Structures are given as structure tokens and as C-alpha cells.
Amino acid sequence: MLFASFDFLLFLVVVLAGYWALAGRPVPRVAWCVATSYFFYVAGPKPSVGPLPMPWYFLGLLIASTLLDYGCGLGIEAARRARGLEPGAGTGRAGRAWLLVSLFGNLGLLGYFKYAGFFSEVVADAATLLGVEGRLPVLRVLLPVGISFYTFQSLSYTIDVYRGRLPAERSVLRYAQFVAFFPQLVAGPIVRAQELLPQLAARPRLRREDVDVALFRCAKGLAKKILLGDFIAGSFADSVFAAPAQYGSLENLLALYAFTLQIYADFSGYSDIAIGVARLFGLRLPENFNRPYQAVDIADFWRRWHITLSSWLRDYVYYPLGGSRRGPVRTYVNLWVTLLLVGIWHGASWNFVVYALLQGFAMVFNRFVSREIKSPLVKLTRAAAAALAVGLGSELLAFFVLKLPSFGQFGLVAFALSFGVGLLPSVERWPALRPLPVLLTLHYCVFSRIFFRTESLEAARQMARSLLDFSALEVRSGLFRIEWLAAWARVPALGWAEPLAEWGVLLLMIGGFAAHYGPSRSIEHGTVRLLPRVPALLVGVGFAALLGALSLVQAGPRPNIYFAF
Amino acid sequence: MSSRLFGPRPASEAPVASGEREPAPALTTPPVSGSAGASGAGAFTRVVGVAIGMSMAIATTYFVPSLAGLRPWIPGGDYLPFWNVVGREWLGEGRALEAEEARLAELPKRARSELRWRAPAPNAPVARDEVPGGAAHATSAAALEPIFPPYTPRDTEPVEVGIEQRGALDAYFRKLTLVDLGRPGAIARTGHWGDSVLGVDGITSGIRRRLQRRFGDAGHGFHLMDRYHPAYLQQGVTFQQVAPWERCFIVWDCRKNERRYGYGGLLAYSSGGAESAWSTPKEGFGQSVTHFELWFARQEHGGRFEVVIDGTRAESVDTRGPELEDAWFSVRVPAGPHSFRVRAAGRGSVRAYGVVLENDGPGVVWDGMALVGGSTRGLRTQNPEHIARQIRKRDPDLIAFMFGGNDLERNYVDLKQSMQPYYDEYTDVLRRFRAGKPGLACLIISPIDHGRRLPNGDIAPKAFLKPLVEAQREVARQTGCAFFDTYRATGGEGTAARWFRARPRLISPDLGHPTEFGHELIAELIAEAVLSGYEEYRARMRGKPFPELAVEGASEPSAAPAEQRPAEPALMPPH
């Protein structure tokens, strides 16, 4: 089910009514939550365009994963008791076999549905390159919605039980509610069991403040997703990404900016709605975004973007690998592996492999150049060495992956930029310099989005070539036009709106970025403070008016980008 | 810059021995349970109040007619709540849609497979015709009795939609036969003009690749002097604009006084310094070139071109002449990969139309001329003597046209009452092009379905497509051209919506331009139709007289192989 749909409004009213009617009866309340969450998972709208949603019986995978980890949690706890370890004591390990069952089960599910097709393509390609006769079959597996999210969420539970951080959940219903709670089921935030299970165990309370915050978060999330996400994509960016070679350098660059804004608005908007809706149930979900495009370096970016995923990988991959405790070389390896997993978590294709490598190497570079060093000569040498590595890596990327004719120049520019970055002083010591690293980090993200968004490696190449061609440094007429606004602007009295109509999409993009970098936080806080003074009826009418206005630009419900991961 | 990966390092991050616990992640949100806050009563009142307000607002849309567009549910409309359960499963709507989705999944498979294996396998032999007894027998036999030899059909897939009025392509198939029999110097050339649907050489390179795989690679063919639009991008040749040219594109109609835009519709000119470069690709088709030809115009006070081959050999071309006239300059090179540069070398203004890169064959050449924003109405503006001369020089065996995408709004304008103006302009274009080579085979290729988006997100077909396609069919019939109904071959009405649903997508979000997968699919349909027509021709012509087979080198209408053609007055003594 999509948040931005009438279905969801109908669904939410019924679910909330049932939930609060059963507030004092824990078992029926939890059962109601689980049943309605499962219904949410399978009851999608009919798509106006795009493929059909997954069939209802994919719910079985979610239930299977839930039961598997519920059982493994109990098994681990039994093993702990057998060794005299208190559940939730925080010390000691026991029940490794159960943990392995959970790991193999969840990662096996994820591996098959998400990566089997890609691996079969890789094998088929390799076989053909080696001259093996005939074409090997390539698997095409339908990806269950949300599998990357709920498997990770479930795994965090069994790992934490194994580590003794929390006792196993006895109630299968409550555990199922933890895994399947609908606001965060299909696209996060990935919630830890320690955060959510205690809330689910307690009797829920709803405060007036929760209602206003929830409404504000939902309104904000919907506006972000529909206006800055779907509308910009449908009006402009999608056309360029579908055929990047047919657009000029500037048009491709603007499309990348548009997608950079779109993916943030789409995903953070979803998180806003999830957090807001959860508040209506008296539950608190963790924040997932913190103005990521204000990051001063790639490490800062991943502390601000999809926070629950990066912290999950920090706690369950980076630290177990040793974190930064096993020397600098091992630290770089651990960083690289962690970011590689972040990248390929997003998708199974060569594009995401390249995206993951870009993120991994950027993190290693950042770590290498940002250690405090007093000697200017050593700092210079370090920056030069790092820049040389970056330049070489960039040439390899340009030659082998992007197949750019000007790969030498590409490497040179990368060398120069990274040398400059390596010499930049710390933002903590020179705050006035902050815009520069922020701009550089933003543009590194923008560049890596080529691989995130294009539909194939060949399309990524076309886009990169178009970008670096520096030809056609103009924008074709009508590219940013809002058609329905342009139709209104033809009315003589509304002629003043013509420039708005002609450049509307671009203005929206500028507005979106301005909101991201501007003082919108204080505006939001002010709005939330004012909201309680507005009568409830008016709030309802206003909310409906917002939904109506957004529906005019929406042109049919559109799934969130992260539904595909 | 912060060096932390994910926030401050926990204080307990000391070297960890096995068995020690990792620092616990901080709780990011406090639990609500047991919170000492206001009770729920005020909150529930507020929730109910908001719900009532929303319900009143939504109900208003059903009572106020001008707000009808905001109604979330319209009785009798398409909307069904929770469709994936209610509609798809309970009401059984899913089966038909799933069947269609399975069919859609097949479409891009063929395109995907072709895109992955674009380059031929190393040293893959061309699948030419095999004459019983070998080529020597065919030659000696042909010297006595030149007839069409028997033909073994390939395992080409049967085509659902073939070429109509196939006989109109007999002249082209005749040349293809010579190519297929390995006649030295035999090159079957096609000039293919179209609107932006031919952009990025997607469809034309797909056809080119398939036919060259079957009959042989005779080179890339014609390339404009410059990229006038990002969508003009040719595959199978590496092009670089080293220094920009002034450009006049036929669609802009910027040369109203003379209207000479060249074979490809772009006039590039410069008083000095402009430069373009071409090189053969490192893999795939088009790797071998034996001759490079510059297409330009002489004029009073004309300047000079410098043509540089492989960075070493330079030729100078003087474009002075008594009056404006088309001219050509050719260089021959040993067969293999090469690079060419053409620079406006000053001493006056130079005008250029494009270049040709070919080898000696036998093989196929398929020129792709994408005219972004173009239409038959625009093509009609070409100076008739000029375009006839260009055609005569290029000497194609087939001309093909794929227009219509930019004519879809004309039903509101000049085609509101009748299609006659459209018949007239298309017929006129064909007449002008064929004036350069009487009897030239021609093929009209219809556009595909185009879509438009409805407010609820659905995609509806553009209504004018059908009458436009019918008009093109009628033009083909009246002018003696063949016709390929791409519209029907790709699925007819509603194709744009289906192609947009397919994964990978076959049509762009603008619902008019195919994606690279769509290009491949269309190319396959056209190429298969041409091959099917060729096979039918060979079966029909078996045993019939074939005099061209008797004369060595009698593969060109001018009865002279490429290297023996009368030299154009192209190479002037250097000053």
C-alpha cells in the first residue's frame, strides 16, 4: 500500500480506530496490529503505469522470516540459560548454531530474491566471454517489497539476543508486530528491537502533542514526496534518465541535481510519514535523515543519510570486523567493506557495484586525509599520495567502466580536486570554509547518483559522456515547463504566470535545495508550536486541502524509490 | 574535517577480546510508555476533530461540481480500494493483467539479448549465401547463363507484420543478392531519414548491425559534419567536435535563399578554425574503412579544407569555384581502422554537408539521418536540384522514411478537414528524392504509438496516429513505395502504455520516444521484415535472368567498381 493514496487514508482511519479501542487489551490489540500490517503489505493499488505489485502470497516470506527469527531467538535464549548466562545480561555468548540458522535463513532469502538474478547474469556473461557455447539462462526473480528492510530488522533482533543485549521476545504476536509494524515495514526506518519491543509491550498513550507532530510530519512528508519527488521526476528527470544521450551536458547535470533532490525528498518524506503515523499509535521511531546534503565529508554524509541503515552496518558489520581497533590498514579494509555493503544493499547490478566502490573508496580516502597532522610537509605528502591514488582510480573508472575517450583528463581533474580536498583544513578549526567541503561532498554524491539512478551501465556511460562532453550548454525550450500551469498562463489575465510555468520545475528544484540549506528547521518548529492553537476541524480541512492540491500534481500514486530495494 | 565514521567513538572502544561485548548503541528515541504527560482524552478529541474536518472537506467535493476533479472516488470509475487484494484476487482481474505482463516481459528480452551482444564475436563469418559448387562454379556458370542461383532460406523467424508492396523493393533486393553472393565491390546502400525517433542512431544502428551481420560490413556510411543536437549521435563511429562549426539545420530553415542542406539536412560552415574528427571503433561494426569522402560545396571566394588521415597524412582541398555547386573529395586508405580530421583552414568560408566512411565491401551500408524536430514538410524545403544531385552521388539502392511524430497535432491545424495536404507533401518529397535516381526503391516506415498522460496517471493513445498511419500507407501505394506498419507490428493502439509498463521500459516517460530497448525492438522488427522480403524475393527470382552476375564488377549501376569511378574534381594542386 502506498502512503500517498486514498487507500491509505481509509486504511489508517480503520486501523487507528481499532487500535485505540483495544488499547487496554494487549493481546487483541497486538493481533489487530499484526493483521492490519499484513493487510497493508499486500493491499496495494492498481498501478496506472509500471509493473503489477507483488502477489499477496509473498506475505508468506515475511511470515516465514518472522517465525524463523522468533524461533531462533528462543533457541538462543535457551542456549544461554543452559550455559548459565542471564538473558539480556549483556555478557557472554551462546546459541551460535541458532544465530547461524537465522543468518543463513535471512541472508539466504535476501540473497536469492535480490542477488540471484544478478549473479546468474554475471556467470552467463563470464561464460560467454570465455567462449562457452550457448547462452546460460538468466534468473529473473520478483523482489518482495521491503525484504531488505525486514530481514535486517529481524537479524538485528537475533544478533542482539545472541549478544545478550536483550531477552528473547516470548510473545510471537508481539514479535510479529515488531517485524511487520506497517509504518516502517516496507522502507524503514530500520528499528532495533531494543527500541521498539519495550514500546509495544507497554500500554500505548496518545498525547495531544503527538497528534500535532504526527499531522505535521505526515503533511511535510507527503509534500516532499509528491512535489519534490514524484512531480520533478515525472516532469523532467525521468525523461533525461531514460535517454541521457539525447540530452546535452547541462540538461544531464540538471537531471542529476533533480534526482539528488528527488531521492532525498522521496525517502525522507516516506520516513517523515512513517514517523508521523507511528506517533498516532503512541510509538516513537528513530529519525532516518539529518540534512544529508549539509555533510562536510562522506563520513558525515553517511551519518546523516539513511541513519538507521548505516548504524545497523556500523554495529553489526564494522564493529565486529574490528572497527578502528586493529590498526590503520585493517580500519581502511573494514570501512571499505562496510560501505561496499551499503552500496550493494541498494541493488543487484553492476551499477550498484560501481556505486558501492565509489562510496567505499571515498570513505577510505576521507579517513586517510582527515587525521590531524601538524607537519605541513607530511600533510602535503599525504594529500599528494591520496590524490595520486584517486587520480589513478578515476582513470581506471573512466577507461574501463565509463569508456570515456578523455579518461586521462578525467583522472587529472580527479587528482587535482582530491589534492585540494586533502589540503583543506578542518571545518571545526575554520568554520568559514564550511561551504566548500559541503559543496564538494554534495557534488560527489551527485556524481555517484549516475550509477544509482541510470538503468544500466550503458546508460551510465551515456550520461557520463553527455556530461563530460561539455557540448550543448543550453537547455531546450519546454524542458522545465509545467504544462497545466502553462495552459492557465495563456489566459490574458494570468499572463504574468508564464515565466513561472515555463521554468516551474527548475524553480521547484531551487526551492527544494533552498529549504534543505535554509533555516527551515526553525520554521518547522514554529509551525509545530503554532499548530495546537488551530482548531481541530480547521486542521482537518487544511490537511484535506493539502492532499487535494497534491493529488492534482501527482498523476496517479507512485511507489517510493526505496520500495525497489 | 571530522574523521569519524559514524559519530563519536564510544569510550568503551578498547581492544576487544573475544567474548567481550560491544558498546551498546544508544537508544535514539525514548519509549512513550508510562510517560507523564497529558492524558489521552484531549488527544483523542483532537484526532476526532481532525477526522471530521477532513471528512467534511472530502464530502464537499461531492456537492460542489467545480471540485469534482478532487474527488478521491468516482462511482463507476476505475478506482477500486485495496485493488491488489480486492480487484486482483477476489474479482479475478489479476489473471489478464499477469498474462499481459508475461507478454511484456518477453518484449525486452530480445532487445536485451541484442544489446548485450552488440559486437560480433571475434572473426565471426558473415552468413552469406552459399552457391552450390562454390564461388568459382557460380562465376563460370554465370558467365554462360547468368541466372539467380538457388537460395537456402535461413532460419529467420516468421514475421507477423511484413513489408507491404514488397515488389517495390526488388531493386534493393537485387543489389542485396549481389552482396549475398560475395560479388567484390557490391554494396547495398540505404539512406534512412526520420525524425527524433531515429535519435542516437538507435533504430538505424540496430538495422545496420543486423543486416551487416547477415550480409557483411561495408562501413558506417554517412555522418554529418557536426552534432547539431545531442540526439544526433552515431554508433559505430567515434566522432569529436574539436572546434565548433556554424550550423544551419534544415528544420530551422535558415537558408531560405538557397536551401541547400545536404544529404543529411545539416549545412556546417566556417571561415576558419572549425574542426571535426572521426575514427573507427575498436570493437563492433564499422572497424574497417577503405575510403573517406568529404561532402562539401564549392563557391565563389571559397576557402580551404585540411583533411588529415591518421594524424600523419594531410590533404588540402580548395573549395573555390565559379558558383555554388556540390562537390566531393575522396581519399583511399588501406583497409583497416583509421582516423580522419577535417578542419576549416581559412582563406575564405567553407561549407560542408558531411562525410562518408565505407570500405570496399561486399556488404551493407545503412545511413541514419535523424532530423530532430523534422517532418516531411521540413524535407520538402530542400532545393530539389541539390537533393537530387546529392542522391545521385550517394547512389543508394533504397531510401527509407520514418516520420510522423512531429505531425501529431496537425489534426487541429492544416489536416483538420482533410489529409490531402499530407499526401501532397509526402509525395512531393519522394519525387524530389527519387529524381536523383529514377527507379530508386523506397520504403515508408510508419511511426509507433504515442501516448498522452491523463490526470489520473493513466496513459491514453494519441488519436491522430491511426489516420496518419493510414495516410502513409496510401502514399506508399500511390507512389509505388513499400510500406512497413511499425504501428501495427509493435502492437497498435495502446503500445505506448504497454511499453511504459514493461521492464526494462521500451518507451521514454515522454511516451513518444523509444528507449534503447525500444530502439532494438523496432530495429529487429524492421530488419526481420526486410530479410523476410529478401528471402521471398530470392525464392521468387530463382532461375530468372541475372545479368549483373555475369560481369565482374558489374555490381553498380555505373558499371564501375568504387576505385574506378570517374574521379570527382576534388583534389586541387596545393598552393
Side-chain angles (χ1 to χ4, degrees):
Chain A
M1 199 180 296
L2 304 176
F3 280 163
S5 66
F6 188 59
D7 282 5
F8 182 69
L9 195 60
L10 292 176
F11 168 82
L12 188 62
V13 167
V14 172
V15 173
L16 274 175
Y19 180 83
W20 289 108
L22 297 167
R25 299 170 63 192
V27 173
R29 183 188 78 239
V30 172
W32 172 252
C33 251
V34 172
T36 52
S37 293
Y38 287 163
F39 183 76
F40 172 90
Y41 187 64
V42 297
K46 183 177 178 184
S48 51
V49 291
L52 293 174
M54 70 179 184
W56 67 270
Y57 46 80
F58 273 64
L59 177 63
L61 291 168
L62 172 61
I63 295 173
S65 171
T66 302
L67 292 175
L68 172 75
D69 289 323
Y70 170 74
C72 288
L74 290 177
I76 291 170
E77 187 164 280
R80 285 183 68 86
R81 284 190 203 282
R83 286 184 66 178
L85 298 167
E86 274 302 309
T91 54
R93 306 272 199 268
R96 178 176 286 212
W98 289 106
L99 178 67
L100 288 175
V101 167
S102 171
L103 279 172
F104 279 115
N106 282 292
L107 295 180
L109 260 183
L110 193 61
Y112 173 72
F113 282 99
K114 200 159 177 177
Y115 301 104
F118 174 57
F119 282 127
S120 70
E121 267 183 37
V122 170
V123 167
D125 285 348
T128 306
L129 284 171
L130 292 171
V132 171
E133 286 290 321
R135 303 250 173 98
L136 295 180
V138 170
L139 283 174
R140 298 259 170 251
V141 183
L142 185 63
L143 181 70
V145 171
I147 192 168
S148 306
F149 291 90
Y150 67 70
T151 48
F152 270 40
Q153 185 151 313
S154 229
L155 265 179
S156 77
Y157 165 77
T158 45
I159 295 171
D160 282 348
V161 172
Y162 174 75
R163 288 176 175 174
R165 291 225 178 106
L166 77 162
E169 175 56 55
R170 294 268 147 206
S171 162
V172 66
L173 276 180
R174 189 173 299 125
Y175 181 74
Q177 187 189 6
F178 157 68
V179 175
F181 184 46
F182 72 88
Q184 48 85 52
L185 171 60
V186 292
I190 302 173
V191 192
R192 306 293 179 89
Q194 289 169 283
E195 291 170 334
L196 193 54
L197 280 173
Q199 295 185 66
L200 298 180
R203 181 185 171 131
R205 296 255 187 270
L206 186 68
R207 298 174 304 172
R208 205 184 136 114
E209 175 203 330
D210 291 331
V211 178
D212 291 317
V213 169
L215 285 172
F216 177 75
R217 291 300 291 261
C218 290
K220 180 179 150 193
L222 282 169
K224 276 158 83 174
K225 192 237 182 299
I226 294 172
L227 268 184
L228 300 181
D230 297 350
F231 183 67
I232 291 178
S235 306
F236 163 55
D238 281 356
S239 297
V240 178
F241 281 101
Q246 303 208 24
Y247 292 85
S249 304
L250 184 59
E251 291 165 336
N252 273 282
L253 180 64
L254 290 170
L256 273 173
Y257 284 135
F259 179 69
T260 302
L261 180 64
Q262 177 201 346
I263 190 170
Y264 166 69
D266 187 284
F267 196 14
S268 68
Y270 183 94
S271 297
D272 282 330
I273 299 170
I275 290 168
V277 168
R279 281 296 275 264
L280 289 174
F281 289 81
L283 300 169
R284 299 283 189 97
L285 299 182
E287 292 295 336
N288 219 7
F289 291 87
N290 180 19
R291 308 277 193 114
Y293 299 139
Q294 290 190 10
V296 293
D297 56 42
I298 202 74
D300 193 23
F301 174 79
W302 284 104
R303 278 198 296 278
R304 293 165 175 265
W305 178 277
H306 204 175
I307 298 168
T308 56
L309 173 68
S310 48
S311 61
W312 193 101
L313 287 166
R314 175 198 65 198
D315 292 339
Y316 299 112
V317 175
Y318 180 68
Y319 285 154
L321 286 175
S324 57
R325 295 185 302 254
R326 305 257 171 105
V329 173
R330 181 63 183 263
T331 303
Y332 297 141
V333 170
N334 294 343
L335 276 175
W336 185 82
V337 166
T338 307
L339 266 297
L340 192 69
L341 290 176
V342 166
I344 61 175
W345 174 90
H346 285 84
S349 70
W350 287 115
N351 277 37
F352 285 109
V353 171
V354 175
Y355 176 77
L357 289 171
L358 286 174
Q359 297 301 317
F361 284 122
M363 189 66 90
V364 169
F365 169 83
N366 179 67
R367 177 88 185 192
F368 182 68
V369 302
S370 55
R371 283 176 304 158
E372 287 297 325
I373 281 182
K374 287 206 167 70
S375 160
L377 185 62
V378 172
K379 186 164 182 170
L380 192 74
T381 313
R382 182 183 67 180
L388 201 63
V390 168
L392 206 63
S394 302
E395 274 200 30
L396 293 173
L397 174 75
F399 184 77
F400 286 109
V401 178
L402 295 176
K403 302 196 179 183
L404 293 175
S406 52
F407 62 90
Q409 292 160 324
F410 186 83
L412 210 58
V413 169
F415 170 83
L417 276 174
S418 48
F419 186 61
V421 168
L423 292 176
L424 275 176
S426 156
V427 160
E428 281 100 14
R429 287 203 290 135
W430 295 74
L433 280 180
R434 191 185 178 90
L436 185 57
V438 168
L439 210 63
L440 289 169
T441 308
L442 170 68
H443 282 84
Y444 188 79
C445 288
V446 169
F447 172 72
S448 66
R449 297 284 184 220
I450 294 175
F451 300 96
F452 195 100
R453 173 59 179 87
T454 48
E455 295 179 14
S456 65
L457 210 47
E458 182 54 39
R461 287 181 190 128
Q462 287 175 11
M463 179 162 251
R465 268 183 234 133
S466 290
L467 270 175
L468 299 172
D469 212 358
F470 296 109
S471 66
L473 293 176
E474 67 272 342
V475 166
R476 69 194 61 189
S477 163
L479 192 63
F480 295 109
R481 187 181 300 141
I482 301 177
E483 293 292 348
W484 53 266
L485 196 56
W488 286 2
R490 283 189 207 119
V491 173
L494 296 174
W496 54 267
E498 205 189 322
L500 278 176
E502 191 62 21
W503 299 99
V505 177
L506 184 63
L507 292 172
L508 207 51
M509 283 167 56
I510 294 170
F513 277 109
H516 192 76
Y517 289 103
S520 47
R521 190 158 275 167
S522 43
I523 296 171
E524 287 172 18
H525 287 156
T527 308
V528 173
R529 270 201 297 275
L530 278 174
L531 210 49
R533 297 184 200 176
V534 181
L537 274 179
L538 270 182
V539 171
V541 169
F543 198 81
L546 174 68
L547 293 179
L550 291 175
S551 73
L552 287 176
V553 300
Q554 194 184 18
R558 191 173 156 130
N560 292 76
I561 294 173
Y562 269 70
F563 276 28
F565 299 145
Chain B
M1 258 184 283
S2 169
S3 62
R4 300 298 175 207
L5 168 60
F6 297 121
R9 187 174 301 180
S12 59
E13 195 182 347
V16 173
S18 157
E20 286 187 10
R21 68 183 172 96
E22 293 293 338
L27 278 177
T28 54
T29 54
V32 174
S33 58
S35 66
S39 72
F44 289 116
T45 310
R46 194 152 177 80
V47 169
V48 169
V50 168
I52 292 173
M54 283 184 66
S55 305
M56 280 168 49
I58 292 171
T60 307
T61 63
Y62 289 90
F63 294 107
V64 178
S66 56
L67 297 177
L70 296 173
R71 290 174 194 167
W73 172 69
I74 297 165
D78 275 342
Y79 171 68
L80 190 61
F82 319 119
W83 176 84
N84 203 40
V85 171
V86 176
R88 184 177 185 172
E89 303 298 335
W90 291 354
L91 299 181
E93 291 177 11
R95 268 180 231 106
L97 290 172
E98 282 159 13
E100 188 191 301
E101 203 161 71
R103 272 197 307 276
L104 284 175
E106 287 302 312
L107 286 177
K109 259 190 204 171
R110 293 151 64 187
R112 199 203 303 265
S113 173
E114 177 67 27
L115 277 171
R116 289 166 76 77
W117 309 112
R118 240 193 278 244
N123 304 317
V126 174
R128 284 209 190 89
D129 194 8
E130 284 181 13
V131 178
H137 171 81
T139 307
S140 62
L144 297 171
E145 197 179 307
I147 59 170
F148 276 85
Y151 175 74
T152 309
R154 299 292 190 277
D155 55 352
T156 353
E157 289 182 24
V159 293
E160 288 177 27
V161 176
I163 293 181
E164 301 169 26
Q165 287 108 242
R166 261 199 300 270
L169 299 187
D170 279 2
Y172 176 66
F173 292 145
R174 200 172 185 90
K175 178 59 74 67
L176 263 189
T177 305
L178 283 172
V179 173
D180 204 7
L181 293 174
R183 169 67 61 188
I187 297 175
R189 279 191 202 90
T190 301
H192 186 169
W193 289 263
D195 53 35
S196 53
V197 78
L198 298 190
V200 299
D201 199 25
I203 293 173
T204 38
S205 72
I207 299 170
R208 183 183 308 126
R209 198 183 327 120
R210 285 165 173 82
L211 294 183
Q212 287 182 341
R213 190 180 298 140
R214 169 67 178 81
F215 294 102
D217 176 3
H220 177 76
F222 187 86
H223 192 287
L224 291 176
M225 208 61 202
D226 198 6
R227 281 182 77 187
Y228 67 92
H229 189 280
Y232 182 79
L233 181 74
Q234 294 286 295
Q235 299 183 32
V237 61
T238 303
F239 170 77
Q240 187 189 1
Q241 183 212 68
V242 180
W245 299 80
E246 303 281 344
R247 297 179 297 221
C248 182
F249 179 51
I250 188 172
V251 171
W252 308 335
D253 200 16
C254 30
R255 288 275 163 155
K256 288 185 170 56
N257 54 335
E258 34 119 321
R259 291 202 163 114
R260 292 169 179 248
Y261 302 104
Y263 185 71
L266 179 75
L267 166 66
Y269 54 98
S270 170
S271 302
E275 186 173 344
S276 293
W278 296 262
S279 57
T280 51
K282 291 186 176 51
E283 58 179 14
F285 296 93
Q287 290 181 58
S288 177
V289 169
T290 56
H291 89 275
F292 175 80
E293 192 167 57
L294 171 66
W295 290 43
F296 64 101
R298 292 193 191 290
Q299 57 188 337
E300 212 179 339
H301 311 303
R304 303 166 66 84
F305 283 111
E306 184 185 53
V307 179
V308 179
I309 300 110
D310 296 330
T312 53
R313 176 180 153 200
E315 307 277 357
S316 185
V317 182
D318 192 336
T319 71
R320 278 177 309 165
E323 58 182 11
L324 187 62
E325 63 166 356
D326 297 339
W328 296 267
F329 169 76
S330 294
V331 287
R332 284 202 62 84
V333 290
H338 293 282
S339 65
F340 307 93
R341 280 178 175 244
V342 174
R343 189 173 68 88
R347 297 197 195 183
S349 178
V350 295
R351 298 167 58 119
Y353 301 122
V355 299
V356 163
L357 297 95
E358 284 186 6
N359 59 51
D360 291 331
V364 159
V365 169
W366 195 283
D367 296 335
M369 269 80 65
L371 306 176
V372 177
S375 64
T376 41
R377 192 161 44 175
L379 270 191
R380 209 178 174 189
T381 60
Q382 276 264 43
N383 180 303
E385 288 77 32
H386 166 71
I387 190 60
R389 183 85 175 93
Q390 296 277 299
I391 293 288
R392 196 173 312 128
K393 171 61 184 172
R394 186 74 185 114
D395 191 26
D397 302 288
L398 172 67
I399 50 173
F401 297 94
M402 190 170 182
F403 289 100
N406 294 311
D407 298 307
L408 290 175
E409 306 296 320
R410 289 173 69 181
N411 54 325
Y412 301 113
V413 193
D414 60 325
L415 302 181
K416 204 192 274 191
Q417 308 297 335
S418 152
M419 292 298 286
Q420 192 59 46
Y422 192 71
Y423 296 142
D424 293 342
E425 79 191 28
Y426 217 136
T427 305
D428 189 32
V429 165
L430 288 164
R431 183 182 55 74
R432 288 172 188 232
F433 274 66
R434 288 165 104 183
K437 184 176 177 181
L440 177 56
C442 53
L443 172 65
I444 294 178
I445 305 172
S446 82
I448 62 168
D449 185 43
H450 284 52
R452 60 187 175 87
R453 212 178 280 281
L454 299 175
N456 66 353
D458 286 347
I459 296 171
K462 285 199 176 172
F464 195 50
L465 240 317
K466 270 191 194 164
L468 198 69
V469 170
E470 282 311 308
Q472 292 184 357
R473 176 182 274 112
E474 184 56 30
V475 167
R477 223 182 344 252
Q478 288 180 9
T479 56
C481 290
F483 179 71
F484 181 71
D485 192 346
T486 331
Y487 180 73
R488 188 162 65 97
T490 51
E493 190 175 80
T495 297
R498 284 191 294 277
W499 278 24
F500 194 69
R501 287 169 64 93
R503 285 293 180 272
R505 283 207 181 116
L506 297 166
I507 200 166
S508 294
D510 67 6
L511 305 175
H513 292 92
T515 61
E516 60 172 344
F517 294 99
H519 288 150
E520 282 301 320
L521 201 60
I522 295 168
E524 176 160 315
L525 290 168
I526 295 172
E528 290 289 324
V530 168
L531 287 170
S532 170
Y534 171 71
E535 297 211 330
E536 183 272 335
Y537 172 81
R538 288 295 303 270
R540 181 166 32 103
M541 296 300 286
R542 181 188 166 157
K544 292 204 173 136
F546 194 15
E548 292 96 316
L549 205 56
V551 180
E552 186 69 33
S555 57
E556 303 290 342
S558 56
E563 59 265 50
Q564 291 176 22
R565 257 184 281 181
E568 295 289 343
L571 183 57
M572 299 292 288
H575 283 71

